[in-house]
């Protein structure tokens, strides 16, 4: 044996020493485990010292055994200590890992509602809560529903306010959702009636930043004994509070619609200015009469909102064409 | 209609602040399109002194104008005003925006550079401030000072929108009357001098042949007229409201039109055959050349003013070219009339003419007070400014007098309509201000209020003058009503929610499309719904499918660099019922969706999976599963829409009912933009059919506590054998396999867990691995039982479809 006993003891100690340093430098549990296998595994360095016991003279066996055991426990302690510190570092999110959590994820596709439809549904749901029922009505209409039944006979100058699309069969593309009034009055029979509809309207306006020949409206009627202008104001405030918040401010301006008298345009104070949001008024007696209701017995109010304008204002969309270009980059923003 | 506040103040006292007048217009029900504070608008108009003036042609000068000490502007001056060297005049510096859309810049005029403009008062929107209409300054200390500081004015100009019910506000007096009522000011009509009638002339006979079209006609001969320019006060009033000054006679008719809202016309009497005026229908063989050069024939037999021989004016719309007042005229016939609104409107529409006169007649003018006053105003001005004489009294024809309407209006009615207590005194106070006569509950409205035919109009007037803000917020009707949406709307919301949750973007397309986007199913093209008056050809028919619009949206987005597409729209399809008449148009609520590109939003090439037919079908299956409809769903072969690949397209069936189609878009047949690289799949579903099939409140099926058992069969099958038929066989043979058993296990699910054809599979065959799962509620099945079932199923599959088990 070229190596003296003292040198052997020295080697045992130095293996322990080096192992402890290596263990303390480990940055992952895997590395720690690797060292444990190198030192304490079946073919490990320290395990190998144990196997050399048989080569040791009997009088020195005790001393050698003690040295190897000390080395083993020093390494074991170092491993446990390092494991613990690495685990606690991992639990607190520190430490270093092979798995890179900073790589971008793989996302499911994200869908979005169209801003006009989102606004429309919001208005609808507020009004549903106020006792109005929603139904669908035709977009391809007759003169009666779009005009005559709304106190707007063919010679009426108010027809100039609408640039109407006609079909080749002589039907009218509804110019306003107000066209639902005579349908609803007939459909729901004697009042009380609180009804609404919404959807597309058509006017032959040239396309520019604020005009598109197809747009969305929502129209409402309420008919009962003793319905008043005060009821109308009350309902409009409830709607406005739902849409714009409890401290909303409204302005009622006298206006004219053939199917309401008195009539009012309503503006909402929004982003530091008055924004026109709807037209309203008490239903004209001729509209009630056209539906066979006695205007001395029944009174009603009606109002209609432009949904596109509400959607555009609440999102700060400045050009109506964006709304119908359907660019994904636009639609994903809402 | 443009209005100037200083002009309004001609009729009001005490004088109100101009700005307040503008604010009042809104409360009076006159919509303001735009309002201009002229002091603000004219802030870059300064006093410049003319240092040099050289003639430039016959009617222009080139002036050197000093606008700040030592700084000269070259200005070409084509104004009608005389200017002299040494005068200080208002100069609009380049960059100024003057009323009526005049933008001042540096420009070439008659070959000379002109930077700025010497402005007359009216060109700045101001009523003339002196005799000439040009403000002139002689104090050199004013050089360069802003005109608005030197000259005191607070005028505003406003463009107002007079709504169709209030034609009485289509004149300054009408507007002033409303403003006075709102502000509680005193309102006065112009003082009218009554010129003397000399009695030298012959009366001028007037006949109204069609009294239902012309209610009243006054004709007044005026002789000894001197036609010339109008004074500045008159010219400027026309100019500030955007009308051209022509000569004193024409200007007076236009001025009274703008003041009273009463159209007038002046014929050159020398050009009239007569003396005679007949208000009659034009005859088919007659012709008439109008002032604007339009040559009319008598085809539609419009109402005309005719002399003894021929038509000389288109009644209420436009005068004739031959009989118009010119510089040479010395005697005129002044016409003041009231024409029927509906007839005027029909004629103007038919002839596509619209004038200041027709605009007012169409909406309704007052045949009484305003007509008479307007007539007298014009007559007095013509005598004064045109130095005319009245040889005879006017000839008047008024076959049946239009009487004012009296309406009953009780305080109860007003209070019960507005929802606030309104006293009789308050009603009288409000309506009295508007010129109405109030006696107890009987209200008589003046005839200029053509809208006052229902009591609700009076209620509106009262509400307006009390102020809409004063009406309380109070629910006065207490009936309970059920607020809800309809079934279709609820279904649409379910569909949207599902699609949005699955990554679809909701779109809105114009339902008006190009005719080439119709008839995906090659149906009858006669059934298309075409517009009579489309704006443009690509928006001329109503779409009968949502898919072409969605494909266009994919193309547009591909051009913007998008590579994946998931779009949907819920809207109506329009289909004409070919057997029906006029209005028989079906509007079908439809869901349309298109999908293509990657399954996930992954930037990593290696992880990308492209959407294929099973993904698209799976989306639809999941959608129907959400609605509780999977069991009744299947795809069947059927008619293939144009632009689709027939191999991968089929009809969506719910039980026996077809509800739509799903398929792969063929990029060539659909003529897709080549920038759409992804394979697109699209489906369209009829929402009404989903509503019918939908069962709300699905019953709870219980939860099984027994373990289910599955068996897989890997089969070699002819390619033409569909999965569906195999599944059907499995289901029927399963029932047979367990018949006579003491227990009744249920077949829970049949799925395809693998599908393969290609290498290692003989030609004409495919490999399918089917898994079926069954379960008994009472106990777990033994493996012998399960095998027994599996063998029975395999036996049926083998005998019915010649399948072979794969090794």
């Amino acid at each position: 044996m070229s190596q003296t006993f003292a040198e052997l003891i020295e080697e045992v100690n130095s293996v322990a020493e080096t192992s402890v340093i290596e263990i303390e430098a480990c940055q992952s549990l895997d590395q720690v485990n690797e060292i444990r296998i190198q030192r304490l595994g079946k073919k490990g360095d320290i395990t190998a010292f144990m196997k050399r016991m048989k080569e040791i003279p009997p009088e020195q066996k005790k001393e050698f055994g003690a040295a190897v055991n000390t080395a083993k426990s020093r390494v074991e302690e170092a491993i446990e200590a390092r494991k613990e510190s690495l685990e606690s570092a991992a639990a607190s999110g520190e430490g270093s890992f092979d798995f890179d959590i900073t790589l971008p994820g793989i996302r499911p596709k994200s869908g979005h509602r169209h801003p006009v439809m989102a606004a429309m549904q919001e208005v609808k749901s507020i009004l549903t809560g106020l006792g109005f029922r929603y139904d669908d009505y035709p977009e391809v209409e007759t003169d009666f529903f779009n005009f005559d039944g709304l106190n707007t006979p063919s010679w009426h100058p108010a027809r100039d306010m609408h640039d109407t699309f006609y079909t080749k069969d002589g039907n009218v593309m509804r110019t306003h959702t107000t066209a639902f009034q005579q349908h609803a009055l007939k459909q729901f029979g004697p009042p009380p009636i609180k009804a609404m509809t919404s959807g597309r309207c058509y006017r032959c306006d040239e396309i520019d930043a604020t005009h598109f020949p197809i747009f969305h409206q929502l129209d409402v009627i309420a008919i009962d004994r003793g319905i008043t202008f005060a009821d109308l104001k009350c309902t409009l405030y409830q709607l406005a509070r739902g849409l714009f918040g409890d401290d909303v401010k409204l302005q009622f301006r006298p206006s004219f619609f053939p199917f309401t008298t008195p009539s009012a345009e309503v503006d909402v104070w929004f982003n530091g200015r008055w924004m026109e949001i709807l037209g309203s008024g008490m239903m004209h007696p001729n509209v009630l009469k056209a539906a066979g209701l006695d205007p001395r017995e029944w009174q009603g109010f009606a109002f209609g909102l432009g949904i596109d304008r509400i959607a555009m204002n609440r999102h700060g969309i400045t050009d109506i064409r964006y709304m119908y270009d359907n660019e994904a980059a636009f639609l994903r923003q809402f | 209609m443009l209005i100037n506040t200083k002009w309004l103040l001609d009729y009001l006292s005490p004088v109100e602040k101009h700005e307040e007048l503008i604010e009042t217009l809104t409360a009076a029900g006159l919509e303001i399109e735009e309002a201009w504070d002229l002091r603000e608008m004219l802030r870059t108009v300064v006093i410049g002194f003319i240092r040099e003036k050289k003639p430039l042609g016959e009617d222009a000068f080139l002036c050197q104008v000093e606008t700040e000490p030592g700084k000269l502007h070259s200005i070409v001056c084509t104004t009608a005003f005389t200017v002299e060297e040494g005068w200080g005049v208002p100069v609009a510096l380049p960059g100024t925006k003057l009323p009526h859309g005049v933008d001042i810049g540096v420009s070439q005029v008659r070959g000379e550079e002109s930077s700025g403009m010497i402005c007359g008062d009216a060109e700045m929107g101001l009523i003339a401030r002196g005799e000439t209409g040009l403000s002139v300054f002689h104090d050199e200390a004013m050089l360069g000072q802003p005109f608005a500081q030197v000259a005191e004015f607070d005028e505003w100009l406003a463009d107002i929108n007079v709504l169709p019910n209030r034609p009485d506000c289509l004149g300054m007096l009408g507007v002033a009357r409303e403003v006075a009522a709102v502000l509680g000011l005193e309102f006065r009509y112009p003082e009218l001098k009554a010129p003397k009638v000399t009695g030298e002339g012959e009366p001028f006979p007037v006949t109204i042949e069609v009294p239902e079209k012309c209610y009243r006609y006054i004709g007044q001969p005026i002789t000894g007229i001197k036609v010339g320019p109008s004074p500045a006060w008159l010219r400027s009033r026309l100019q500030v409201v955007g009308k051209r000054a022509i000569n004193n006679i024409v200007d007076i008719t236009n001025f009274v039109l703008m003041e009273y809202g009463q159209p007038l016309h002046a014929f050159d009497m020398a050009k009239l055959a007569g003396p005679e005026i007949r208000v009659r229908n034009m005859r088919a063989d007659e012709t008439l050349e109008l002032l604007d050069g339009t040559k009319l024939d008598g085809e539609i037999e419009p109402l005309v003013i005719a002399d003894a021989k021929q038509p000389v004016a288109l009644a209420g719309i436009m005068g004739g070219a031959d009989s118009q007042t010119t510089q040479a005229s010395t005697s005129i016939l002044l016409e003041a009339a009231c024409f029927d609104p509906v007839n005027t409107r029909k004629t103007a529409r038919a002839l596509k003419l619209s004038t200041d006169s027709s605009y007012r007649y169409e909406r309704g003018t007052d045949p009484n007070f305003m007509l008479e006053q307007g007539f007298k105003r014009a007559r007095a001005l013509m005598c004064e400014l045109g130095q005319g004489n009245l040889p005879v009294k006017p000839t008047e024809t008024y076959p049946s007098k239009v009487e004012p309407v009296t309406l009953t209006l009780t305080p109860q009615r007003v209070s019960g309509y507005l929802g606030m207590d309104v006293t009789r005194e308050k009603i009288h106070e409000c309506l009295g201000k508007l010129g109405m006569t109030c006696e107890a509950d009987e209200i008589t409205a003046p005839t200029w209020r053509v809208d006052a035919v229902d009591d609700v109009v009076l209620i509106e007037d009262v509400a307006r003058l009390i102020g809409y803000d004063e009406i309380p917020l109070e629910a006065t009707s207490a009936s309970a009503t059920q607020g809800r949406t309809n079934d279709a709307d609820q279904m649409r919301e379910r569909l949207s929610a599902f699609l949005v949750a699955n990554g679809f973007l909701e779109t809105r397309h114009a339902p008006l499309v190009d005719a080439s986007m119709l008839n995906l199913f090659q149906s009858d093209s006669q059934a298309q719904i075409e517009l009579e008056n489309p704006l443009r050809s690509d928006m001329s028919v109503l779409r009968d499918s949502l898919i072409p619009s969605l494909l266009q949206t994919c193309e547009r987005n591909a051009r913007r660099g998008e590579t994946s597409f998931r779009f949907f729209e819920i809207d109506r399809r329009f289909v004409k019922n070919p057997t029906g008449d006029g209005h028989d148009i079906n509007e079908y609520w439809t869901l349309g969706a298109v999908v293509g590109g990657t399954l996930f939003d992954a930037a990593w090439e290696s992880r990308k999976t492209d959407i294929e037919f099973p993904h698209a079908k799976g989306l639809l299956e999941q959608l129907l599963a959400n609605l509780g409809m999977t069991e009744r769903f299947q795809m069947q072969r059927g008619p293939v829409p144009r632009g689709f690949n027939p191999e991968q397209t089929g009809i969506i069936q719910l039980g026996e009912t077809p509800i739509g189609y799903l398929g792969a878009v063929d990029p060539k047949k659909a003529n897709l933009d080549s920038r759409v690289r992804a394979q697109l799949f699209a489906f369209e579903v009829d929402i009404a059919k989903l509503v019918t099939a939908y069962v709300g409140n699905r019953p709870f099926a219980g939860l099984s506590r027994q373990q289910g058992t599955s068996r897989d069969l890997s089969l070699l099958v002819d390619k033409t054998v569909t999965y569906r038929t195999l599944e059907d066989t499995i289901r029927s043979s399963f029932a047979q396999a367990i018949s006579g058993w003491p227990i009744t296990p249920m077949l829970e699910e049949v799925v395809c867990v693998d599908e393969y054809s290609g290498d290692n599979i003989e030609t004409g065959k495919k490999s399918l691995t089917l898994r079926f799962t069954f379960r008994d509620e009472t106990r777990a099945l033994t493996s012998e039982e399960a095998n027994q079932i599996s063998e029975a199923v395999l036996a049926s599959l083998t005998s019915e479809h010649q399948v072979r088990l794969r090794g």
Side-chain angles (χ1 to χ4, degrees):
Chain A
M1 192 198 286
S2 55
Q3 199 179 23
T4 65
F5 181 72
E7 281 169 347
L8 183 60
I9 296 293
E10 182 55 31
E11 195 191 336
V12 171
N13 290 340
S14 114
V15 166
E17 195 67 32
T18 324
S19 303
V20 168
I21 291 165
E22 281 175 8
I23 289 162
E24 280 169 359
C26 280
Q27 289 304 313
S28 73
L29 292 175
D30 284 353
Q31 288 172 3
V32 175
N33 203 36
E34 211 168 288
I35 292 175
R36 190 183 61 77
I37 292 163
Q38 281 170 16
R39 301 292 182 267
L40 306 176
K42 276 184 186 161
K43 292 175 183 167
D45 300 345
I46 294 174
T47 316
F49 285 127
M50 278 304 215
K51 287 179 184 159
R52 286 170 67 176
M53 186 64 94
K54 53 183 183 291
E55 302 164 15
I56 306 296
E59 67 279 13
Q60 286 171 328
K61 273 190 197 293
K62 194 178 172 191
E63 191 188 340
F64 180 70
V68 173
N69 279 331
T70 307
K72 189 181 171 191
S73 53
R74 274 185 71 192
V75 171
E76 278 170 351
E77 276 163 27
I79 285 173
E80 282 315 306
R82 188 64 197 151
K83 265 188 176 175
E84 211 169 285
S85 92
L86 282 173
E87 274 165 5
S88 82
S92 68
E94 292 160 18
S96 107
F97 303 94
D98 288 347
F99 188 84
D100 184 355
I101 58 164
T102 68
L103 275 174
I106 298 174
R107 302 185 194 184
K109 299 280 183 185
S110 153
H112 298 265
R113 285 217 83 167
H114 193 282
V116 163
M117 300 308 279
M120 190 139 92
Q121 287 308 320
E122 197 178 327
V123 178
K124 238 186 231 179
S125 86
I126 295 168
L127 289 167
T128 307
L130 293 174
F132 291 89
R133 60 172 294 169
Y134 175 87
D135 286 279
D136 299 314
Y137 298 92
E139 286 175 21
V140 185
E141 271 295 2
T142 62
D143 259 324
F144 174 78
F145 288 104
N146 201 72
F147 292 120
D148 297 57
L150 297 173
N151 196 31
T152 320
S154 59
W155 49 265
H156 201 294
R159 285 217 182 176
D160 288 354
M161 307 198 308
H162 300 223
D163 291 315
T164 311
F165 280 123
Y166 287 91
T167 68
K168 288 215 159 146
D169 309 312
N171 290 312
V172 177
M173 297 310 299
R174 70 174 174 196
T175 58
H176 48 189
T177 40
T178 318
F180 95 111
Q181 289 192 359
Q182 290 297 341
H183 289 291
L185 289 172
K186 193 167 138 197
Q187 184 180 343
F188 300 129
I193 298 169
K194 287 172 86 175
M196 63 168 152
T197 196
S198 66
R200 298 200 190 256
C201 303
Y202 301 75
R203 288 187 199 176
C204 40
D205 285 329
E206 289 292 340
I207 299 173
D208 63 26
T210 53
H211 294 94
F212 200 76
I214 298 127
F215 52 94
H216 300 78
Q217 285 188 341
L218 184 145
D219 254 75
V220 171
I221 52 171
I223 301 134
D224 201 351
R225 288 193 180 85
I227 288 235
T228 64
F229 200 93
D231 278 309
L232 168 63
K233 282 185 70 173
C234 194
T235 303
L236 290 177
Y237 260 98
Q238 299 295 356
L239 171 61
R241 285 180 187 135
L243 275 178
F244 299 98
D246 281 347
D247 50 357
V248 71
K249 274 193 292 181
L250 296 182
Q251 164 177 288
F252 291 76
R253 285 182 287 119
S255 188
F256 168 74
F257 307 103
F259 37 88
T260 53
T261 311
S263 303
E265 288 274 3
V266 182
D267 306 331
V268 62
W269 186 254
F270 185 77
N271 285 346
R273 63 185 181 87
W274 288 111
M275 168 180 118
E276 189 177 311
I277 52 163
L278 60 87
S280 68
M282 294 294 287
M283 290 178 77
H284 196 282
N286 289 352
V287 175
L288 297 173
K289 273 188 226 159
L293 294 174
D294 177 359
R296 289 277 157 183
E297 183 179 3
W298 304 106
Q299 290 175 186
F301 67 68
F303 62 87
L305 306 82
I307 302 291
D308 300 68
R309 186 197 291 262
I310 290 176
M312 286 172 74
N313 275 291
R314 58 156 54 170
H315 297 296
I317 301 164
T318 48
D319 191 325
I320 195 169
R321 286 169 290 199
Y322 285 130
M323 309 258 271
Y324 301 104
D325 278 351
N326 296 307
E327 283 191 33
F330 172 85
L331 296 169
R332 281 194 198 105
Q333 293 184 22
F334 309 103
Chain B
M1 184 175 79
L2 287 173
I3 58 163
N4 169 293
T5 51
K6 193 171 179 202
W7 189 351
L8 281 186
L9 288 176
D10 287 352
Y11 318 114
L12 297 170
S13 60
V15 170
E16 240 354 78
K17 280 191 182 152
H18 292 259
E19 193 170 352
E20 233 160 281
L21 295 180
I22 295 291
E23 283 164 8
T24 307
L25 295 173
T26 305
L30 297 161
E31 284 182 2
I32 298 176
E33 293 280 332
E34 214 172 341
W36 301 273
D37 177 352
L38 294 176
R39 291 189 70 83
E40 171 64 19
M41 193 174 200
L42 302 175
R43 64 185 189 286
T44 49
V45 177
V46 300
I47 308 297
F49 278 80
I50 300 170
R51 299 303 180 206
E52 192 188 309
K53 173 187 155 193
K54 279 194 256 170
L56 194 67
E58 279 184 9
D59 56 348
F61 297 99
L62 179 62
C63 299
Q64 298 303 319
V65 185
E66 189 176 6
T67 56
E68 55 185 277
K71 185 172 182 188
L72 288 178
H73 278 252
S74 229
I75 297 176
V76 176
C77 179
T78 54
T79 169
F81 308 106
T82 324
V83 292
E84 295 300 341
E85 283 177 13
W87 285 10
V89 289
V91 175
L93 299 175
T96 308
K97 286 182 188 302
L98 290 179
H100 315 120
V102 178
D103 292 350
I104 305 303
V106 179
S107 56
Q108 291 290 320
V109 182
R110 305 197 182 187
E112 297 288 342
E113 188 184 275
S114 182
S115 66
M117 172 176 159
I118 296 174
C119 303
D121 298 332
E123 286 164 320
M124 296 185 284
L126 300 170
I127 301 294
R129 306 165 48 75
E131 302 269 306
T132 62
L134 177 70
S135 297
V136 179
F137 302 86
H138 297 288
D139 181 356
E140 287 274 345
M142 290 179 175
L143 174 70
Q145 290 201 23
F147 172 67
Q149 257 174 42
V150 176
E152 285 180 3
F153 61 87
D154 344 281
E155 281 165 74
W156 282 62
L157 208 59
D159 186 7
I160 62 168
N161 184 13
V162 178
L163 295 166
N165 60 328
R166 293 300 302 275
D168 57 306
C169 290
L170 288 169
M172 296 301 145
L173 282 168
V175 174
R177 199 160 47 203
E178 286 296 314
V179 168
V182 173
L183 289 176
L185 303 179
E186 191 195 318
F187 166 75
R188 57 176 185 272
Y189 291 99
E191 266 179 57
L192 300 180
K193 289 176 205 138
K196 258 211 221 136
V197 176
T198 59
E200 297 157 345
E202 292 294 310
F204 207 102
V206 172
T207 314
I208 300 177
E209 289 185 9
V210 209
E212 68 275 16
K213 293 184 185 171
C214 176
Y215 303 156
R216 187 175 187 181
Y217 195 101
I218 301 177
Q220 170 73 67
I222 306 176
T223 53
I225 293 275
K226 294 199 167 49
V227 177
S230 307
W233 71 262
L234 175 53
R235 274 203 321 270
S236 63
R237 275 171 173 74
L238 291 177
Q239 287 164 351
V240 294
V241 298
K243 307 285 166 211
R244 215 152 52 89
I246 296 162
N247 61 48
N248 50 5
I249 300 303
V250 175
D251 291 352
I252 288 166
T253 59
N254 285 332
F255 170 72
V256 174
L257 173 94
M258 293 316 299
E259 190 179 39
Y260 285 79
Q262 171 62 47
L264 299 166
H265 188 64
F267 295 99
D268 184 338
M269 256 199 324
K271 311 270 177 64
L272 295 179
E276 184 173 13
I277 284 292
R278 303 191 79 82
V279 185
R280 61 168 170 86
N281 291 331
M282 190 168 171
R283 286 191 287 268
D285 60 347
E286 288 178 322
T287 57
L288 170 63
E289 185 179 347
L290 299 178
L291 279 173
D292 69 350
T294 308
K295 291 191 176 66
L296 290 187
D297 57 35
E299 193 192 336
I300 63 157
E301 302 183 1
L303 188 73
V304 290
I305 314 301
D307 60 13
K309 286 207 299 216
Q310 60 190 3
V312 290
L314 184 61
I317 301 174
M318 203 185 286
D322 294 340
S323 58
Q324 65 178 307
T325 307
T326 62
Q327 288 298 121
S329 305
T330 56
S331 61
I332 59 145
L333 180 75
L334 173 65
E335 165 198 295
C338 180
F339 298 105
D340 174 61
V342 177
N343 180 60
T344 309
R345 183 173 165 79
K346 282 179 182 162
T347 308
R349 287 253 137 168
L351 300 174
K352 296 189 169 64
L353 291 169
S354 179
T355 61
D356 286 333
S357 291
S358 69
Y359 192 83
R360 284 163 178 78
Y361 281 128
E362 282 177 26
R363 280 156 180 75
T365 59
D366 179 18
N368 297 320
F369 181 80
M370 296 300 276
L371 184 148
E372 287 157 17
Q373 295 290 304
F375 165 72
K376 286 178 184 165
R377 173 74 154 159
R379 184 177 64 175
L381 287 172
M382 285 179 181
C383 291
E384 185 190 331
L385 306 176
Q387 297 168 40
N389 301 309
L390 305 183
V392 286
K393 282 192 175 165
T395 311
E396 169 158 3
T397 313
Y398 195 2
S400 74
K401 186 170 193 300
V402 177
E403 296 291 349
V405 179
T406 298
L407 297 163
T408 304
L409 191 69
T410 64
Q412 293 75 19
R413 169 77 169 153
V414 178
S415 306
Y417 214 72
L418 297 179
M420 71 186 294
D421 285 334
V422 183
T423 61
R424 179 174 290 131
E425 290 67 39
K426 191 74 195 169
I427 294 170
H428 287 193
E429 180 198 325
C430 293
L431 299 180
K433 282 182 190 169
L434 295 173
M436 300 193 191
T437 314
C438 308
E439 280 174 37
D441 293 335
E442 303 297 304
I443 312 291
T444 305
T447 44
W448 64 72
R449 285 296 301 272
V450 292
D451 63 323
V453 290
D454 287 299
D455 67 349
V456 290
V457 173
L458 306 183
I459 296 175
E460 178 174 80
D461 282 336
V462 172
R464 215 153 49 78
L465 291 180
I466 290 175
Y468 282 1
D469 287 344
E470 297 303 310
I471 297 172
L473 295 181
E474 206 172 288
T476 51
S477 156
S479 295
T481 50
Q482 182 202 18
R484 60 163 187 78
T485 60
N486 62 352
D487 293 342
D489 193 58
Q490 289 173 29
M491 179 58 71
R492 298 196 291 263
E493 284 307 290
R494 278 182 211 109
L495 298 174
S496 303
F498 175 87
L499 289 162
V500 167
N502 282 279
F504 283 78
L505 298 174
E506 185 177 26
T507 58
R508 297 298 283 165
H509 299 93
L512 294 170
V513 298
D514 192 277
S516 68
M517 289 165 77
L518 292 180
N519 305 324
L520 287 190
F521 287 95
Q522 328 278 342
S523 60
D524 184 4
S525 68
Q526 291 304 306
Q528 73 189 35
I529 303 159
E530 210 174 327
L531 290 189
E532 178 65 38
N533 53 338
L535 267 179
R536 32 200 270 188
S537 68
D538 62 352
M539 293 176 92
S540 62
V541 290
L542 280 165
R543 60 181 171 170
D544 63 355
S545 165
L546 308 186
I547 299 302
S549 313
L550 284 162
L551 294 180
Q552 277 191 346
T553 282
C554 291
E555 292 180 306
R556 172 190 286 272
N557 279 284
R559 291 194 288 269
R560 294 275 181 275
E562 296 285 333
T563 52
S564 275
F565 311 91
R566 280 192 200 198
F567 297 106
F568 79 101
E569 184 172 27
I570 294 179
D571 204 7
R572 307 174 199 219
R573 296 189 304 121
F574 298 86
V575 181
K576 196 192 292 186
N577 187 341
T579 59
D581 53 7
H583 190 64
D584 206 356
I585 288 165
N586 296 321
E587 302 183 8
Y588 297 112
W589 278 101
T590 307
L591 162 66
V594 57
V595 55
T598 58
L599 203 49
F600 289 97
D601 273 347
W604 307 355
E605 291 298 331
S606 60
R607 305 260 182 137
K608 274 184 180 164
T609 307
D610 276 336
I611 289 194
E612 293 175 19
F613 185 88
H615 299 117
K617 189 185 173 195
L619 272 164
L620 179 68
E621 283 173 3
Q622 200 66 278
L623 173 69
L624 295 171
N626 247 270
L627 300 172
M629 297 176 185
T630 354
E631 281 176 19
R632 285 168 285 165
F633 163 71
Q634 56 172 308
M635 292 286 294
Q636 281 190 355
R637 293 278 169 197
V640 177
R642 184 155 47 83
F644 282 69
N645 169 4
E647 180 87 30
Q648 292 192 25
T649 300
I651 303 299
I652 304 165
Q653 296 263 140
L654 267 190
E656 295 303 306
T657 316
I659 62 163
Y661 62 92
L662 163 86
V665 175
D666 183 322
K668 281 216 178 63
K669 288 183 191 160
N671 199 18
L672 271 191
D673 188 316
S674 62
R675 278 166 284 197
V676 182
R677 295 225 185 79
Q679 170 62 53
L680 297 181
F681 300 88
F683 61 89
E684 203 164 26
V685 176
D686 185 326
I687 292 176
K689 291 185 174 146
L690 291 180
V691 170
T692 309
Y694 182 71
V695 181
N697 299 331
R698 274 171 258 163
F700 174 51
L703 291 175
S704 178
R705 299 299 174 205
Q706 297 297 333
Q707 190 74 37
T709 310
S710 292
R711 284 292 180 271
D712 286 4
L713 293 172
S714 283
L715 306 170
L716 206 58
V717 193
D718 267 2
K719 270 188 172 169
T720 52
V721 175
T722 63
Y723 164 79
R724 184 82 204 177
T725 55
L726 296 177
E727 184 183 325
D728 287 347
T729 301
I730 293 173
R731 288 186 181 276
S732 57
S733 58
F734 179 86
Q736 284 166 16
I738 60 162
S739 73
W741 285 24
I743 54 168
T744 50
M746 303 293 289
L747 179 60
E748 278 197 341
E749 194 179 38
V750 182
V751 288
C752 177
V753 293
D754 197 19
E755 190 262 351
Y756 179 73
S757 59
D759 292 351
N760 310 326
I761 303 287
E762 54 191 277
T763 326
K765 300 274 182 189
K766 63 184 171 186
S767 158
L768 285 179
T769 304
L770 305 182
R771 173 176 299 161
F772 54 108
T773 306
F774 38 91
R775 190 196 306 267
D776 184 75
E777 289 306 321
T778 57
R779 63 172 173 79
L781 266 65
T782 64
S783 72
E784 289 73 30
E785 287 169 329
N787 291 342
Q788 197 185 329
I789 292 175
S790 178
E791 279 155 21
V793 166
L794 178 61
S796 298
L797 287 171
T798 312
S799 72
E800 287 177 30
H801 305 294
Q802 290 78 47
V803 306
R804 289 204 313 270
L805 208 53
R806 286 192 74 207

